[in-house]
Amino acid sequence: MKISYNWIKDFLRIDLPAEKVGELLTDLGLEVEGISAYESVKGGLKGVVVGEVLECTKHPNADKLSLTKVQVGEGVVLPIVCGAPNVAKGQKVAVATIGTTLYDKEGEPFKIKKGKIRGEESHGMICAEDELGLGNSHEGIMVLGSALPVGKPCSEVFSVVSDTVFEIGLTPNRADAMSHLGVARDLRAGLLQQGINKEIITPSVTDFFVDNRLLKIDVLVDNKELAPRYCGVSISNVKVAPSPDWLQQRLRAIGITPKNNVVDITNYVLHDLGQPLHAFDALRIAGKKIIVRNAAEGEKFQTLDGVDRSLSAEDLVICDTDKPLCLAGVLGGTNSGVGQDTTHIFLESAYFNPVAIRKTAKRHGISTDASFRFERGINIDDCKYALLRAAIMIKKIAGGEISSDVVDWYPKKQEDFQVFLTYEKIDSLIGQVIPRDVIKSILHSLDIQINSLTEIGMGLTVPSYRVDVERDVDVIEEILRVYGYNNIEFSSKVSASMAHASRYEDFNVQNVIANQLVGQGFYEMMNNSLTSVAYQELSADISAAQTVQILNPLSQDLAVMRQSMLFSGLETIAYNNNRKRTDLSLFEFGKTYHKIGESYTEPKHLSLFLSGNIYPETWNAPQEKTNFYYLKGYVKAIFDRLGITELKETPSQEAIYQEGITLWLGQTPVASLGVVKSNILQHFDIKQQVFYADILWDHLLANLSKEVKYREIPKYPEVRRDLALLLDSEVSFETLHSIALQTEKELLKKVALFDVYQGDKLPKGKKSYAMSFILQDNNKTLTDKQIDKTMAALVEAFKKQTGAQLRS
C-alpha cells in the first residue's frame, strides 16, 4: 500500500525527515518496505532555469540551426545552438544548463553536456515542453512570460510537485490503516510516546447543505445482514471533466491514474478516509430506485472491465428496478458508470459484510481497492461522513447541486466493543511493568476510551474503526506496539527445559530417513496442503465424497485439502522444469486429508519423486535416465534402515500409475511406487517420465523394528552359484526370490538377478532369468555335496511352483 507523505501532512502537521517517519511507522507495526521520491515532472526540472535570448543569428553551417546567446542569471551568458524555428531575440525561455539530466518520452535519461554542433560551441539547451515533461508539443521551444526574472528555477515557475511515498506492507488485520487518515492516527500515537503532541485534523463537512430536492432516488435494502448500512445522495448538473492538477498529482503519487473529476474524487476519498464510494449515472437508474439484494443464481451481469459474469445467489448486487448496476463492494457495471456525458449522479457510501465481499471477490477472481477494504472490514461509522466529504468536493470541483436529502439506512446501530483489561494480564503478557499513566496515555492516543478505573484494571470502549480489537489481549498488543517492542528489556540469560524423547518418536525417525535421502542426493520439498479441486478429475483414486473443502478459500486453486501427495509434487517438478532443472530427486513428508462420513483423517506420508538423469552430465560417463528400479532401491533402503524386511509386493491397482507395485507388510499396504501416467504429466506440461513412491508413514512407524540386531562376521567362506532359468513371462523375480528363501532358510543368504533376456531365440511367452545364489554355513566350510544338494532343491522348487526349466 502506497502512502503519500504530503497527504499525511493534511491530517498531521509534522515536518520530520521521511526516514524517521518510516522508522516510526515500522516500529508501530506498519512495516515500511520502501521509501521513494515522487515528482510531477521527472527530474523535478533541477538545473532548468529561466533564460533571456540576447542574440539570435543564423548558423553559418546549417540552414535550420540558430546561434544564440542566452543570459541565465548572475551575469552568465551562454552560447547555445538551437534548432527550433520559433527562437528569437528578447524571448524568455527554459534553459537546461550543463549537467542537467532530462528524460525522453520513454523515461530514459540524457545529460546536457558541453559540445559542438556543426563547428559551433553549445553550452546548454533551450527546451521545448516535451523535453521537460510538461506537455507533448515539439513544434518549437517554450516561450515564457516576459515578466519572469532571469535565472529563476523553472521548478518554481511550473510548481513542480515533489513528494515522498512510503510503501507499507500492511498485515490483513490492520484494516484501520488502509488510508492516509489511518496511518496518520498511528503516527500521532507513536509521536506522543516521543513527547511530540500533535492533533489529528479532519476535514469539516459543516458546509454541506441541500440545494434542492429534484432528484430523489429511493433506497430499498433487502438483505440487512450483508448490508447493515447504506447511505446515498443525489447530485445534479455536474460537469464531468479532467480533475484539477492538485488532485491528479495526489492520485499519481500513490500509483493511481486519474480518469475524471467524479471518479477521481471517489478514489481520493477512498485513500483519504478508507471508505469506498461508488458514483452511478442517476439518469440510467430505472424506476429511480436503488435495490440492494442478492443476485439470482446464474443472473448475467457485465462489469466495468467488460467481462460478462454469471452471478451466484450468494453475491450481493446493487440494482435498479430492471437490472443489476453494481457487484456490491467489488466492481461497478458497464450500464451505470459515470461517463463524459453524465450530468446527474447518485453517490453511494455503504458498509458491506466483509466475509460476503471476500467470497464474491474470490469467486469471480476480482480484486479492487474497494474489495480490498470491504473484505477486511471498514469503519461503519464513517459511511455518512465520507459521503458528505465527497459530495462537497464534487460540488466544488465538478459543479452541480445537492438534489436530495441524504439517505442513511442504518436500522441497527453497531455497538463499539467493550473490554475489561486487568493490569495483571498486561504485566504477564508483556513481561515488564509499564507505568500505569503511560498505559492510559497510549490508550488515549489510540482513541480507546477509558470508561472506568479500578485497582485491578480498566473498563474500555474500542473505537469502531478498530475492527480487529475485540479482546483484552488485542488491547495489550496495541499498548505494546505503541510503547515499543524495542523498549522491552530482555534478559542476558536463556532458560530452556530438557525434554526426553524416544529415538523412535516420529520426528526422530523422520530426521533419520531425511538425512539418509539427502545423503543419496535428494532435496526436500515443503508443498502447500491446499490444492485445486480440478485435480480430482485426474485420478479415480481421488474421492469427491472425501474432499475436505475450505470454507473461505483464497482462490479456486487453493480451495480443497489434498488427498494425494502426487499433485503438489508434480507442481514442483513443473516449476523446476520450466527453469531448466530437469534432473530431480525430491522427497516430502506431509499429510493428506480425507472426510470419512462425519469425521476427518490426516494420514502422514513420505513421497519420493525421481525424474530426468541419474547423475549430472560429465565427460567420463554416458548420461543415464533414472528408472523404476532406482526408485525401488531407494524405497527398499528406507525399510531396511528401519529394520522392516518381510515385505511382499503385488502389482499396483492405483489409477495414477502407468505401471507400478504395492508393498505389503502382512495384510497391510505400506507403500506404492511406479511410473506416473502420461495424461497426468500432460496436465502439468511435464514432458519427461516421473517415478513416484508413496510411503504410508503412519503404517511404517507402527511396524518399526525396535530391536537392535547384530551378528558376528562369518568365519567361513561363502559360495556363489548361478542358474539360467527359462520362465513364463508373467513370473516375477520377487516370486522366485520368495520360493528360494522358503526352500533353503539356513544356507541361502542372498538371491540376485543379474540378466534378463526376451527375444526371438526363446519360445513365445517365455523369458530367461540369470540368477545368482550366495550360500554360506556359519559353523563350517561348505562341501560340494551340500552345495549341489541345495542347488538341486532350488531347481526342483522352481520347476514345481513356476514351471521353470534350466537353460544350458
Side-chain angles (χ1 to χ4, degrees):
M1 183 182 70
K2 292 184 177 181
I3 293 293
S4 156
Y5 193 15
N6 288 349
W7 204 330
I8 286 179
K9 292 176 183 178
D10 287 350
F11 294 103
L12 206 60
R13 297 289 188 254
I14 56 175
D15 194 23
L16 299 173
E19 290 74 17
K20 183 174 181 180
V21 173
E23 291 174 4
L24 182 53
L25 288 174
T26 298
D27 289 344
L28 289 165
L30 302 180
E31 184 179 359
V32 176
E33 298 175 339
I35 302 176
S36 59
Y38 169 78
E39 294 168 324
S40 57
V41 177
K42 195 167 184 179
L45 300 183
K46 295 181 179 67
V48 183
V49 298
V50 175
E52 183 177 4
V53 181
L54 303 179
E55 295 181 15
C56 181
T57 60
K58 187 178 178 181
H59 193 294
N61 302 317
D63 293 338
K64 295 184 178 181
L65 298 179
S66 300
L67 299 181
T68 67
K69 289 189 177 180
V70 184
Q71 184 180 3
V72 292
E74 298 181 355
V76 177
V77 177
L78 301 177
I80 298 176
V81 177
C82 181
N86 64 328
V87 66
K89 180 180 177 180
Q91 291 174 335
K92 294 288 181 68
V93 292
V95 180
T97 55
I98 292 173
T100 299
T101 299
L102 300 179
Y103 297 83
D104 61 21
K105 293 180 180 179
E106 285 72 38
E108 295 298 323
F110 62 94
K111 198 169 187 177
I112 304 300
K113 300 177 180 178
K114 177 181 176 181
K116 283 189 176 183
I117 301 177
R118 295 290 183 93
E120 299 292 335
E121 287 193 355
S122 184
H123 292 197
M125 185 171 81
I126 305 175
C127 302
E129 66 176 36
D130 66 331
E131 293 166 333
L132 296 176
L134 297 172
N136 298 317
S137 174
H138 194 70
E139 295 179 357
I141 60 168
M142 290 184 68
V143 180
L144 307 178
S146 58
L148 289 174
V150 172
K152 183 173 183 176
C154 283
S155 58
E156 299 176 12
V157 175
F158 296 103
S159 300
V160 174
V161 176
S162 297
D163 198 356
T164 301
V165 178
F166 302 100
E167 184 73 37
I168 295 179
L170 198 65
T171 52
N173 64 307
R174 291 304 307 276
D176 65 294
M178 292 187 294
S179 66
H180 287 78
L181 172 59
V183 173
R185 280 190 298 232
D186 250 24
L187 195 53
R188 168 185 173 257
L191 289 172
L192 190 60
Q193 293 310 301
Q194 298 186 1
I196 304 173
N197 190 2
K198 297 287 184 178
E199 290 301 321
I200 293 291
I201 304 167
T202 53
S204 172
V205 293
T206 56
D207 54 347
F208 176 88
F209 65 92
V210 177
D211 296 294
N212 57 64
R213 293 176 175 81
L214 300 177
L215 188 58
K216 185 173 184 290
I217 305 290
D218 294 323
V219 172
L220 173 64
V221 179
D222 280 349
N223 193 330
K224 64 181 180 181
E225 298 299 325
L226 299 189
R229 188 174 190 182
Y230 191 94
C231 303
V233 69
S234 300
I235 307 173
S236 60
N237 299 320
V238 299
K239 183 178 180 181
V240 176
S243 297
D245 186 65
W246 72 267
L247 178 53
Q248 293 194 38
Q249 296 305 337
R250 278 289 169 88
L251 296 178
R252 286 197 175 100
I254 58 172
I256 296 175
T257 302
K259 293 180 175 61
N260 60 58
N261 46 17
V262 174
V263 173
D264 290 351
I265 288 168
T266 61
N267 280 330
Y268 180 87
V269 173
L270 166 71
H271 291 276
D272 192 53
L273 305 176
Q275 171 67 51
L277 304 170
H278 189 72
F280 299 92
D281 188 325
L283 299 183
R284 301 170 76 178
I285 299 175
K288 300 299 180 196
K289 193 170 191 177
I290 289 290
I291 303 169
V292 185
R293 62 168 173 83
N294 285 84
E297 187 66 39
E299 187 171 5
K300 303 301 180 185
F301 177 59
Q302 188 179 77
T303 44
L304 274 173
D305 54 6
V307 177
D308 292 315
R309 303 184 186 275
S310 180
L311 303 181
S312 163
E314 296 182 10
D315 294 331
L316 190 69
V317 287
I318 313 300
C319 308
D320 57 20
T321 55
D322 294 342
K323 60 192 178 297
L325 303 174
C326 179
L327 196 54
V330 180
L331 191 60
T334 55
N335 56 7
S336 65
V338 173
Q340 293 302 314
D341 57 347
T342 298
T343 56
H344 297 62
I345 65 172
F346 178 76
L347 190 61
E348 166 196 279
S349 177
Y351 178 92
F352 299 118
N353 181 279
V355 174
I357 299 304
R358 183 162 57 246
K359 287 184 175 180
T360 293
K362 299 302 179 186
R363 186 180 299 116
H364 296 286
I366 305 172
S367 180
T368 60
D369 283 340
S371 67
F372 181 80
R373 286 158 177 80
F374 275 127
E375 64 191 34
R376 286 161 175 78
I378 62 170
N379 181 12
I380 196 170
D381 286 350
D382 271 354
C383 288
K384 185 175 180 180
Y385 171 71
L387 181 76
L388 300 182
R389 170 102 165 102
I392 292 170
M393 289 183 68
I394 290 173
K395 188 174 177 181
K396 289 180 178 178
I397 294 173
E401 302 165 332
I402 308 296
S403 296
S404 74
D405 292 315
V406 173
V407 175
D408 187 5
W409 190 88
Y410 193 16
K412 185 179 180 181
K413 190 178 187 306
Q414 181 173 295
E415 299 297 330
D416 294 338
F417 293 119
Q418 304 292 320
V419 175
F420 187 79
L421 182 62
T422 64
Y423 296 124
E424 181 183 6
K425 193 160 190 178
I426 297 174
D427 298 341
S428 173
L429 285 185
I430 293 178
Q432 179 177 316
V433 176
I434 298 177
R436 305 316 185 206
D437 59 334
V438 173
I439 291 175
K440 293 172 188 176
S441 173
I442 292 173
L443 293 174
H444 174 73
S445 69
L446 292 170
D447 296 333
I448 297 176
Q449 183 179 338
I450 301 175
N451 300 320
S452 60
L453 284 170
T454 68
E455 291 184 0
I456 63 171
M458 300 171 284
L460 308 173
T461 298
V462 180
S464 59
Y465 65 81
R466 288 312 305 268
V467 295
D468 61 317
V469 180
E470 301 179 357
R471 305 165 299 165
D472 54 357
V473 289
D474 297 328
V475 178
I476 294 172
E477 182 183 359
E478 292 300 294
I479 293 170
L480 181 55
R481 72 179 182 85
V482 176
Y483 181 74
Y485 293 98
N486 295 335
N487 294 325
I488 301 300
E489 297 175 0
F490 58 90
S491 173
S492 58
K493 297 180 180 179
V494 176
S495 300
S497 57
M498 300 296 292
H500 174 71
S502 166
R503 62 184 294 191
Y504 302 108
E505 290 288 341
D506 186 345
F507 68 92
N508 280 330
V509 178
Q510 179 174 320
N511 284 340
V512 168
I513 299 304
N515 288 335
Q516 175 174 311
L517 289 169
V518 170
Q520 292 171 327
F522 280 77
Y523 287 88
E524 185 172 7
M525 300 181 289
M526 293 183 182
N527 289 311
N528 200 335
S529 297
L530 301 178
T531 189
S532 170
V533 69
Y535 294 156
Q536 291 181 4
E537 301 174 4
L538 298 179
S539 171
D541 299 330
I542 306 295
S543 168
Q546 293 186 13
T547 300
V548 180
Q549 301 278 352
I550 303 300
L551 295 178
N552 183 26
L554 293 173
S555 70
Q556 290 304 306
D557 289 336
L558 300 171
V560 297
M561 304 293 285
R562 65 183 175 187
Q563 289 189 54
S564 170
M565 303 285 287
L566 173 64
F567 304 116
S568 55
L570 292 179
E571 288 176 349
T572 300
I573 290 176
Y575 182 89
N576 279 272
N577 284 178
N578 292 338
R579 286 152 184 81
K580 307 302 181 184
R581 294 186 62 86
T582 55
D583 302 336
L584 300 169
S585 301
L586 306 170
F587 74 95
E588 179 183 10
F589 287 95
K591 292 183 177 182
T592 58
Y593 304 84
H594 312 266
K595 183 180 181 182
I596 311 297
E598 296 301 317
S599 62
Y600 296 87
T601 62
E602 300 180 14
K604 187 173 180 179
H605 300 252
L606 166 59
S607 62
L608 278 65
F609 293 82
L610 291 180
S611 188
N613 295 317
I614 300 170
Y615 304 113
E617 186 176 12
T618 181
W619 65 273
N620 62 353
Q623 289 285 69
E624 183 180 353
K625 296 288 184 185
T626 192
N627 57 51
F628 169 79
Y629 298 100
Y630 275 98
L631 179 64
K632 184 178 178 182
Y634 291 128
V635 172
K636 284 292 188 72
I638 291 171
F639 285 98
D640 289 344
R641 179 69 179 82
L642 299 177
I644 302 173
T645 56
E646 301 297 325
L647 292 172
K648 295 185 295 184
E649 63 181 60
T650 61
S652 176
Q653 303 301 315
E654 294 191 35
I656 59 174
Y657 296 125
Q658 187 172 311
E659 54 182 334
I661 62 172
T662 299
L663 300 180
W664 298 76
L665 190 58
Q667 300 300 312
T668 304
V670 290
S672 68
L673 56 152
V675 187
V676 180
K677 283 185 175 178
S678 57
N679 67 302
I680 296 177
L681 300 181
Q682 287 172 7
H683 182 85
F684 295 88
D685 197 27
I686 297 174
K687 298 178 176 61
Q688 59 189 44
Q689 276 193 320
V690 174
F691 301 90
Y692 167 65
D694 180 21
I695 298 174
L696 306 178
W697 187 256
D698 295 331
H699 292 176
L700 183 148
L701 284 181
N703 293 280
L704 184 66
S705 175
K706 297 182 180 179
E707 294 182 5
V708 178
K709 298 180 181 180
Y710 69 95
R711 64 183 179 183
E712 293 182 7
I713 297 175
K715 298 178 181 178
Y716 303 97
E718 63 182 29
V719 175
R720 169 173 167 160
R721 290 290 185 269
D722 296 343
L723 291 177
L725 300 175
L726 183 66
L727 302 157
D728 292 336
S729 296
E730 64 270 12
V731 177
S732 68
F733 169 70
E734 186 69 24
T735 300
L736 299 176
H737 184 272
S738 179
I739 291 171
L741 292 178
Q742 289 173 4
T743 302
E744 177 52 64
K745 297 181 179 179
E746 293 185 6
L747 301 182
L748 185 59
K749 304 303 181 183
K750 185 178 179 182
V751 183
L753 176 67
F754 63 87
D755 187 54
V756 178
Y757 174 73
Q758 284 179 298
D760 298 338
K761 296 180 181 180
L762 296 179
K764 187 175 181 181
K766 296 289 185 176
K767 64 183 176 182
S768 173
Y769 273 1
M771 299 170 61
S772 65
F773 301 84
I774 304 299
L775 304 175
Q776 189 177 45
D777 191 325
N778 295 331
N779 302 312
K780 61 183 179 179
T781 302
L782 287 171
T783 65
D784 290 341
K785 185 176 180 179
Q786 286 177 295
I787 296 169
D788 293 341
K789 181 181 177 181
T790 299
M791 295 306 298
L794 290 173
V795 170
E796 183 62 27
F798 292 148
K799 285 181 180 180
K800 189 174 181 178
Q801 297 186 44
T802 68
Q805 300 176 25
L806 276 177
R807 294 186 68 203
S808 56

